[in-house]
């Protein structure tokens, strides 16, 4: 909670004071938040905002924008870049300044700060006067567009389709009061503030059987979370302000009171779970919070709830005081902001787990999260339960600020219905169209499903992504449509951006790490970190996003869009396509199938995906193909060293996908003898690891590309240990992972959890099966030389057990 900083009102305007008092009363009775739009010249807009502040006794006002001499010292102020620091705080007034010389409309800041306004409070939005004009205005990018511009573009040269859409939505909205330049007092729709048929919220307090909960759906969620059974996960979906985190806190407290000793909660930041700790403190007043841990003594036993960063969760399971067969209950808050592969890994490791996430907003996108996680839930834990929180708690139903925020930021963007899309694809051919972004910004009926595709396809689509889509420099949009004219449905979208093309002097400075112009992710990284100056000189088209409607996936639409992009690249006289994404086996396979090869791997995990960045490229001419081959050769040669050092903790299945690239090395004549010696009991793994690595890599790179996805499917991987089972198939994900972890990442424990002796035994069995494959492979080669070709080769699959 923020500390009240009451602002004095010595120069309040009596008429404005009365106007505000009348409407504050109406808002308070409905538990709504008001919106005031002030569109005027900067000086007048700021003067009006100051008059507004002076016309009431605000308890926790906040100004979002640059520092101004007009602002009193007693008024709290933050730059837009720090708006997210207010998560968990509450304000009865927020002034959002986009009109001052150094300010602008930051979509992410607006989305974050709007959720901190209290019921009965106000958000005041200051914009330039020309936002009132539907036509004829001299539109220029605001100061926040500096973050959007990249070389060689200046912010002032960018288009303003996004801002013009915002202004249009504000002009058309009935959910706000407006204070135009030529009026003494704001104008407002009386429907917002007066309603003779209004009844107080019927879902608060007295109407709920659970005294700790405020709504029926919150009470139902708490009940389910409190009595979770093994292998029956709970997925809790809610819009903002529905009491999701509070429900987790109430359930956590009750689980402790029922005798649970330890519970973990994870989220991308501790700020996101402040509501959980607040409820713990309220319900367990004898407990105490120490940093990220809440402890309480119940019935003579110490119990605790502990917050962990997502990257700490799996490591914490290895602690000596944790029973791997019965680990703590895990609550995952804002699960949409966490990579799906990590969520699925937790689904296997934690018998009792709950995922909670926000459906709309900057925290993460619940719909995309559900698309990726639902298949794993159905397959691994078919008795999982989905719960939704629909009733608002922090404000009343129909709240004007929530309605306006959703509209301005396109938070309600939805893909088209599955049935309509499936029927359209089945009955008509798919067409492809390069979109005009100015037209798209004014066509809500098309913009909504277009942005909805990006939202459901990516785990973290933010409000600022819409601005990038409409005004990002050198961005182009390719859409796939199905259906006849007049009834076309959006079934796919590909977002591309041109990169590189630096002049020789700047490219050389980038190559030597002396300059880093904004943007140009692929071209700069390959030059600065990969050591390829030519990558900065060349022009690339980078595929930033590609999304296909879930109802028509795996029908070749993604591949078809990439070919359309490749054709356009050639049409512009260019020859390089690139892509960068968070590495995971399925994505790696998809891009390799489209003719892309790996050019560089990031050495750290990306904050957005939780995985290292993988950059891939495809040459469209012979010269470009040769340039890609040189970069790929560097990657292939560096990879074993990286897996033994900087990438030692990367998931082995991801490493296996990387290792499949590259030429199949010929094996020396004496290698089988050395492997046979080890398989028969001679030597130790540490001494023969290089030989086994060569043999395994030769086998792995001869596996046909079509079989690799099945071998690397993370949902089938039950862990990395090779323990158990008669004659396990090395092509199954756990055994591929075990081999990669032991041979390339020096993680011998992946071979067996039963100690060093068993690890050596598993390595010897691996050697024996590799030896058998070598013999079989050599026999086939000899047969081919002798002219004996009896159909497909019978590939022997190396095993970890006899």
């Amino acid at each position: 909670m923020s500390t009240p900083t009451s602002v004095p009102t010595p120069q309040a305007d009596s008429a404005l004071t009365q106007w505000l008092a009348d409407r504050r009363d109406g808002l308070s009775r409905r538990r709504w938040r008001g919106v005031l739009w002030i569109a005027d010249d900067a000086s007048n807009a700021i003067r009006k905002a100051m008059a507004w502040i002076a016309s009431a006794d605000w308890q926790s006002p906040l100004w979002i924008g640059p520092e101004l001499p007009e602002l009193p010292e007693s008024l709290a102020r933050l730059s837009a870049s720090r708006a997210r620091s207010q998560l968990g705080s509450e304000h009865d007034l927020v002034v959002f300044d986009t009109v001052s010389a150094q300010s602008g409309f930051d979509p992410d800041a607006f989305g974050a700060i709007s959720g901190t306004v209290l019921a009965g409070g106000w958000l005041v939005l200051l914009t330039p006067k020309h936002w009132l004009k539907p036509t004829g205005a001299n539109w220029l990018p605001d100061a926040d567009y500096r973050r959007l511009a990249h070389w060689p573009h200046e912010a002032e040269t960018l288009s303003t389709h996004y801002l013009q859409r915002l202004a249009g939505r504000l002009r058309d909205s009935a959910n706000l009061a407006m204070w135009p330049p030529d009026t003494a007092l704001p104008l407002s729709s009386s429907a917002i503030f007066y309603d003779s048929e209004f009844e107080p919220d019927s879902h608060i307090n007295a109407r709920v059987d659970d005294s700790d909960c405020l709504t029926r759906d919150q009470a139902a969620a708490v009940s389910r979370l409190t009595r979770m059974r093994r292998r029956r996960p709970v997925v809790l979906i809610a819009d903002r302000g529905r009491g999701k985190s509070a429900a987790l806190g109430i359930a956590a407290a009750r689980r402790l009171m029922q005798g649970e000793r330890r519970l973990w909660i994870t989220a991308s930041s501790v700020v996101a779970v402040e509501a959980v700790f607040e409820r713990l403190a309220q319900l367990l007043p004898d407990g105490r919070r120490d940093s990220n841990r809440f402890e309480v003594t119940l019935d003579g036993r110490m119990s605790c709830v502990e917050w962990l960063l997502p990257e700490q969760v799996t490591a914490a399971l290895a602690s000596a005081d944790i029973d791997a067969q019965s680990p703590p209950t895990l609550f995952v808050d804002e699960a949409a902001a966490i990579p799906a592969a990590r969520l699925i890994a937790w689904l296997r490791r934690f018998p009792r787990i709950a995922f909670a996430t926000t459906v709309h907003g900057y925290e993460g996108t619940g719909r995309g999260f559900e698309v990726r996680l639902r298949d794993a839930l159905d397959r691994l834990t078919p008795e999982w339960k989905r719960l939704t929180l629909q009733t608002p708690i922090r404000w009343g139903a129909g709240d004007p600020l929530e309605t306006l925020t959703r509209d301005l930021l396109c938070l309600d963007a939805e893909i088209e219905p599955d049935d309509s899309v499936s029927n359209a694809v089945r009955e008509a051919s798919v067409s492809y169209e390069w979109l005009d972004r100015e037209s798209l910004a004014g066509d809500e009926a098309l913009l909504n499903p277009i942005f909805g595709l990006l939202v459901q396809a990516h785990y973290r689509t933010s409000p600022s992504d819409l601005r990038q889509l409409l005004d990002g420099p050198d961005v182009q949009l390719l859409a796939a449509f199905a259906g006849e004219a007049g009834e076309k449905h959006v079934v796919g979208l590909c977002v591309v951006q041109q990169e590189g093309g630096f002049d020789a002097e700047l490219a050389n400075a980038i190559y030597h790490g002396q300059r880093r112009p904004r943007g140009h992710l692929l071209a700069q990284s390959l030059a600065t970190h990969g050591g390829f100056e030519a990558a900065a000189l060349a022009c690339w088209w980078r595929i930033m996003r590609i999304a296909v409607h879930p109802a028509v996936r795996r029908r070749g639409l993604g591949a078809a869009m990439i070919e359309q992009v490749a054709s356009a690249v050639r049409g512009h006289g260019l020859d390089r396509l690139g892509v960068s994404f968070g590495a995971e086996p399925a994505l790696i396979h998809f891009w390799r199938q489209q003719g892309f090869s790996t050019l560089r791997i990031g050495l750290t995990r990306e904050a957005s995906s939780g995985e290292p960045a993988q950059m891939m490229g495809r040459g469209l001419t012979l010269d470009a193909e040769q340039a890609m081959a040189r970069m790929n050769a560097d990657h292939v040669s560096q990879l074993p060293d990286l897996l033994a050092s900087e990438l030692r903790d990367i998931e082995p299945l991801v490493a296996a996908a990387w290792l499949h690239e590259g030429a199949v090395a010929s094996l020396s004549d004496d290698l089988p003898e050395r492997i046979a010696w080890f398989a028969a009991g001679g030597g130790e793994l540490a001494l023969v690891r290089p030989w086994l690595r060569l043999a395994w890599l030769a086998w792995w790179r001869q596996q046909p590309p079509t079989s690799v996805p099945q071998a690397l499917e993370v949902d089938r991987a039950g862990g990395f240990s090779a323990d158990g089972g008669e004659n396990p198939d090395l092509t199954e994900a756990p055994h591929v992972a075990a081999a990669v972890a032991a041979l390339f990442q020096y993680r011998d424990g992946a071979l067996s959890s039963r100690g060093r002796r068993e690890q050596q035994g598993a390595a010897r069995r691996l050697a024996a099966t590799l030896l058998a494959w070598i013999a079989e492979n050599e026999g086939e080669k000899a047969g081919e030389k002798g002219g004996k070709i009896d159909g497909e080769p019978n590939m022997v699959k190396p095993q970890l057990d006899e």
Side-chain angles (χ1 to χ4, degrees):
M1 297 292 183
S2 59
T3 304
T5 57
S6 181
V7 175
T9 59
Q11 299 179 345
D13 179 271
S14 59
L16 183 58
T17 298
Q18 187 60 52
W19 188 100
L20 180 56
D22 291 345
R23 285 150 183 84
R24 287 186 81 182
D25 178 66
L27 289 174
S28 296
R29 287 189 295 109
R30 289 160 181 76
R31 299 180 55 254
W32 281 1
R33 287 121 16 109
V35 183
L36 174 66
W37 176 26
I38 300 177
D40 212 329
D41 296 330
S43 58
N44 289 334
I46 293 168
R47 176 181 55 80
K48 289 178 177 179
M50 296 307 300
W52 182 272
I53 293 173
S55 295
D57 185 21
W58 307 102
Q59 295 304 304
S60 54
L62 175 66
W63 188 286
I64 299 294
E67 187 172 355
L68 300 172
E70 298 92 333
L71 302 183
E73 293 184 1
S74 56
L75 177 63
R77 184 198 65 83
L78 283 176
S79 64
S81 62
R82 296 186 58 202
R84 287 197 64 167
S85 68
Q86 292 301 291
L87 291 173
S89 66
E90 293 181 336
H91 303 281
D92 56 353
L93 173 65
V94 170
V95 179
F96 198 85
D97 175 13
T98 76
V99 73
S100 298
Q102 299 303 315
S103 67
F105 189 91
D106 180 338
D108 294 332
F110 189 86
I113 207 65
S114 66
T116 71
V117 180
L118 286 163
W122 283 82
L123 185 142
V124 178
L125 175 62
L126 313 183
T127 75
K129 181 167 61 175
H130 67 258
W131 282 35
L132 292 171
K133 301 178 182 179
T135 60
N138 182 25
W139 282 92
L140 293 174
D142 61 33
D144 200 60
Y145 270 60
R146 294 170 189 162
R147 298 189 299 121
L148 194 62
H150 67 236
W151 183 93
H153 303 277
E154 299 293 336
E156 295 77 13
T157 66
L158 302 187
S159 63
T160 57
H161 309 316
Y162 180 81
L163 295 180
Q164 293 182 60
R165 175 189 174 272
L166 283 180
R169 305 310 291 174
L170 286 167
R171 291 193 302 268
D172 294 342
S173 176
N175 291 290
L176 52 77
M178 183 172 64
W179 197 346
D182 55 353
T183 62
L185 292 173
L187 308 175
S188 65
S189 167
S190 60
I192 300 177
F193 305 104
Y194 305 106
D195 185 352
S196 59
E197 299 180 359
F198 169 77
E199 294 183 4
D201 290 323
S202 61
H203 55 272
I204 300 297
N205 295 329
R207 307 285 182 107
V208 181
D209 294 334
D210 190 321
S211 60
D212 295 326
C213 299
L214 294 177
T215 64
R216 294 189 185 92
D217 46 10
Q218 188 185 55
V222 167
S223 175
R224 187 77 184 196
L225 290 166
T226 303
R227 55 186 177 85
M228 270 199 308
R229 298 167 62 188
R230 291 178 66 90
R231 310 309 299 166
R232 288 170 173 80
V234 171
V235 176
L236 183 60
I237 304 294
D239 275 345
R240 296 169 67 188
R242 268 62 179 175
K244 166 181 58 65
S245 295
L248 295 178
I250 298 168
R254 292 183 180 179
R255 293 186 72 88
L256 296 189
M257 287 186 279
Q258 291 174 358
E260 192 154 349
R261 300 289 300 278
R262 197 167 189 174
L263 185 147
W264 291 344
I265 183 164
T266 184
S268 298
S269 71
V270 70
V271 174
V273 295
E274 283 301 318
V276 174
F277 283 110
E278 287 178 10
R279 297 301 284 167
L280 286 167
Q282 292 170 3
L283 298 175
L284 299 171
D286 293 334
R288 68 182 184 89
R289 180 178 176 182
D290 181 12
S291 185
N292 302 327
R293 182 183 177 95
F294 181 88
E295 297 181 343
V296 63
T297 300
L298 298 169
D299 298 327
R301 299 189 307 172
M302 178 65 72
S303 301
C304 74
V305 174
E306 185 176 4
W307 169 76
L308 300 172
L309 281 168
E311 53 266 34
Q312 296 174 326
V313 172
T314 301
L317 287 172
S319 300
D321 58 342
I322 297 297
D323 180 356
Q325 300 304 313
S326 184
T329 297
L330 179 65
F331 285 174
V332 184
D333 202 1
E334 295 308 344
I338 299 171
R342 182 169 284 172
L343 300 177
I344 294 168
W346 293 341
L347 188 60
R348 294 193 188 88
R349 303 291 292 273
F350 290 89
R352 292 182 175 86
I353 186 170
F355 304 99
T357 199
T358 306
V359 177
H360 304 102
Y362 56 92
E363 298 97 332
T365 304
R367 285 163 297 158
F369 150 80
E370 284 196 277
V371 167
R372 286 183 299 278
L373 192 60
R374 189 184 296 118
D375 287 345
L377 286 164
D378 289 341
R379 181 165 50 253
L380 301 173
T381 53
E383 295 185 70
W384 67 282
K385 181 71 173 179
R386 184 186 192 274
L387 302 173
T388 59
L389 301 182
Q390 297 179 334
T391 311
I393 290 177
R394 290 162 58 190
W395 45 78
D399 172 65
L401 178 54
E402 180 178 58
T403 302
L404 182 69
T405 300
R406 286 184 175 183
D407 183 42
L408 293 182
L409 304 184
C410 215
L411 298 182
D412 282 335
E414 298 283 354
I415 58 177
E416 299 199 47
D418 288 3
D419 290 344
S420 299
V421 168
S422 296
N423 292 337
V425 171
R426 185 167 50 250
E427 296 172 2
S429 61
V430 176
S431 60
Y432 302 90
E433 180 181 335
W434 291 96
L435 301 179
D436 177 80
R437 294 195 289 171
E438 182 178 5
S439 299
L440 179 63
D443 186 351
E444 290 293 314
L446 179 58
L447 181 63
N448 193 283
I450 285 286
F451 196 58
L453 278 176
L454 296 184
V455 166
Q456 61 81 31
H458 198 261
Y459 45 84
R460 185 180 284 181
T461 299
S462 67
S464 61
D465 288 330
L466 181 60
R467 183 174 66 175
Q468 171 73 22
L469 196 74
L470 296 176
D471 291 324
D474 297 325
V475 169
Q476 298 193 55
L477 309 177
L478 175 69
F481 294 95
E484 302 298 334
E487 294 186 11
K488 294 197 301 185
H489 301 273
V490 182
V491 296
L493 182 71
C494 190
V495 184
V496 297
Q497 181 174 32
Q498 184 168 310
E499 290 192 358
F502 295 103
D503 59 62
E505 182 180 356
L506 183 52
N508 186 259
I510 294 170
Y511 172 61
H512 287 99
Q514 299 165 351
R515 293 282 302 278
R516 190 175 181 181
R518 185 186 297 274
H520 302 269
L521 170 68
L522 201 70
Q524 291 204 75
S525 180
L526 293 174
T528 303
H529 302 293
F532 293 97
E533 185 175 2
L537 291 166
C539 285
W540 302 70
W541 273 27
R542 177 168 67 90
I543 298 176
M544 300 172 65
R545 297 277 189 94
I546 187 166
V548 174
H549 195 290
V552 290
R553 285 181 180 160
R554 297 180 178 85
R555 299 192 190 181
L557 292 180
M561 284 193 290
I562 292 171
E563 292 310 311
Q564 291 284 328
V565 171
S567 178
V569 172
R570 295 187 185 99
H572 283 74
L574 306 178
D575 61 0
R576 300 188 186 207
L577 265 178
V579 66
S580 177
F581 55 90
E584 60 177 76
L587 286 176
I588 297 168
H589 175 71
F590 170 80
W591 288 106
R592 288 189 68 193
Q593 289 291 96
Q594 314 316 315
F596 287 70
S597 57
T598 304
L599 309 179
R600 183 175 178 269
I601 298 293
L603 301 184
T604 58
R605 295 179 184 269
E606 297 288 301
S608 59
S609 67
E611 307 293 349
Q614 177 158 351
M615 297 180 180
M616 301 185 76
R618 172 180 163 185
L620 303 178
T621 63
L622 180 59
D623 286 346
E625 288 177 353
Q626 291 174 345
M628 301 288 179
R630 287 192 294 273
M631 288 185 270
N632 178 253
D634 267 12
H635 156 72
V636 170
S637 65
Q638 293 168 355
L639 184 58
D641 285 341
L642 293 176
L643 291 176
S645 52
E646 283 83 356
L647 298 176
R648 189 169 183 264
D649 67 338
I650 203 67
E651 285 76 7
L653 292 179
V654 174
W658 295 334
L659 288 165
H660 195 259
E661 280 190 85
V664 178
S666 59
L667 303 179
S668 62
D669 293 339
D670 61 348
L671 185 65
E673 180 182 350
R674 295 182 174 187
I675 293 178
W677 166 69
F678 175 68
E684 295 189 7
L685 174 59
L687 300 176
V688 302
R689 197 187 316 264
W691 306 337
L692 292 179
R693 187 159 55 220
L694 284 173
W696 186 90
L697 198 57
W699 166 79
W700 178 233
R701 287 182 178 167
Q702 288 197 30
Q703 299 305 301
T706 53
S707 70
V708 172
Q710 290 75 34
L712 299 182
E713 187 170 341
V714 69
D715 290 353
R716 293 171 54 212
F720 300 144
S721 174
D723 290 335
E726 294 273 335
N727 299 319
D729 184 353
L730 188 60
T731 58
E732 291 185 356
H735 305 300
V736 171
V740 170
L743 300 182
F744 293 89
Q745 298 176 294
Y746 295 81
R747 292 157 57 180
D748 295 355
L751 291 171
S752 176
S753 59
R754 300 170 188 163
R756 184 174 178 277
R757 182 176 179 179
E758 289 299 322
Q759 292 166 11
Q760 291 287 327
R764 296 187 197 282
R765 290 190 291 275
L766 171 61
T769 53
L770 286 171
L771 187 66
W773 171 77
I774 292 172
E776 179 90 7
N777 197 46
E778 290 301 317
E780 289 173 357
K781 289 181 180 178
E784 290 177 2
K785 289 180 181 179
K788 297 178 180 179
I789 303 177
D790 298 321
E792 292 291 328
N794 181 22
M795 298 292 285
V796 176
K797 300 172 180 177
Q799 299 171 348
L800 290 174
D801 289 307
E802 295 177 357

